[in-house]
Amino acid sequence: MKTIKTLSFISLFFIASNFVNAQNDNEAKALVKDVLDKVQSYDNFVIDFSYTLENTEQNLKQETRGDVSIKGEKYVLNLMGTTQIFDGEKIYTIVPEDDEVTISSYDETDTEQITPSKMLTFYKEGYRFKMDVLQDVKGRKIQYVELIPMDSNNEMKKILLGIDKQTKHIFNLIQVQPSDTRIEFRVTKFKTNEPLSANHFQFQKSKYADYYINELD
């Protein structure tokens, strides 16, 4: 499911000690640790982002915007007209275009189901990372860290993680696939410790009385 795979890329915004413990470039390790320390000090995150998929050989370019809020294991992701909610137990995928809600229970053993911490576990092994270029983006110093998969069959050729050196926040994430398809997530707003309502991460069935509810289990 596209929204689930999208969350996997977004979750890289919350990289943890899985990278820090790797045997890689010490400077990259220290920078990632600074990001980790700052991220862990927040109660929740609300991120607005742009999403661009581009392949110049195929003359293909798709652009859209989305947002995600994360608190612990819970999240709400809005992208491409679809909302996905994870309340810690069940995943709700809401598609207004089809007037449909799909509900599935979270299964930790299911590799297709993604949560923030599960993604961190996923990236625990199989990647090496190193410092890449430093760029000036409208006065902001963006340091890139390159993540390279060790498995040649990985669907990702490499990932570039752009970090604002002053704020220690993620600026963007670029995924390059073997087909030279380039996917970029760029943070347009990064808000922390927001006053989220008590039911922010809860599916409210009453809002979707006219929808078809597809309960998978």
Side-chain angles (χ1 to χ4, degrees), residues 8-88:
S8 72
F9 302 139
I10 295 172
S11 296
L12 281 170
F13 289 131
F14 309 105
I15 49 183
S17 57
N18 302 314
F19 290 130
V20 177
N21 293 333
Q23 295 179 354
N24 289 292
D25 184 284
N26 288 334
E27 188 179 0
K29 182 191 301 184
L31 180 59
V32 171
K33 186 177 185 303
D34 286 343
V35 175
L36 165 66
D37 291 343
K38 197 153 192 176
V39 165
Q40 288 186 324
S41 70
Y42 302 135
D43 178 65
N44 62 59
F45 312 86
V46 179
I47 291 180
D48 294 350
F49 60 89
S50 63
Y51 168 93
T52 304
L53 184 151
E54 187 171 14
N55 186 306
T56 53
E57 288 188 5
Q58 299 178 16
N59 195 28
L60 172 67
K61 187 171 185 179
Q62 298 176 350
E63 296 178 284
T64 189
R65 293 183 177 274
D67 63 82
V68 61
S69 51
I70 295 179
K71 179 181 174 65
E73 286 294 274
K74 301 176 181 180
Y75 67 80
V76 177
L77 170 66
N78 295 294
L79 184 67
M80 298 179 182
T82 297
T83 297
Q84 190 169 83
I85 301 171
F86 179 52
D87 62 7

Side-chain angles (χ1 to χ4, degrees), residues 69-166:
S69 51
I70 295 179
K71 179 181 174 65
E73 286 294 274
K74 301 176 181 180
Y75 67 80
V76 177
L77 170 66
N78 295 294
L79 184 67
M80 298 179 182
T82 297
T83 297
Q84 190 169 83
I85 301 171
F86 179 52
D87 62 7
E89 296 181 359
K90 291 184 179 292
I91 299 170
Y92 304 84
T93 302
I94 305 163
V95 186
E97 184 178 2
D98 300 330
D99 292 333
E100 182 176 1
V101 177
T102 299
I103 305 174
S104 59
S105 295
Y106 172 64
D107 180 358
E108 188 174 356
T109 64
D110 187 344
T111 57
E112 292 297 315
Q113 293 185 344
I114 303 299
T115 64
S117 67
K118 192 173 181 180
M119 279 311 304
L120 298 178
T121 302
F122 173 80
Y123 283 98
K124 187 173 182 179
E125 297 179 352
Y127 287 81
R128 56 189 175 86
F129 66 107
K130 63 180 182 179
M131 296 293 281
D132 201 84
V133 297
L134 175 65
Q135 291 187 350
D136 187 305
V137 181
K138 296 181 179 179
R140 299 172 66 183
K141 301 296 183 182
I142 307 300
Q143 175 65 60
Y144 284 90
V145 175
E146 184 178 13
L147 285 69
I148 305 169
M150 297 178 184
D151 183 356
S152 59
N153 295 320
N154 195 299
E155 67 175 12
M156 290 177 281
K157 186 176 180 180
K158 65 179 179 180
I159 295 171
L160 290 171
L161 192 65
I163 300 171
D164 187 314
K165 292 196 71 174
Q166 180 177 358

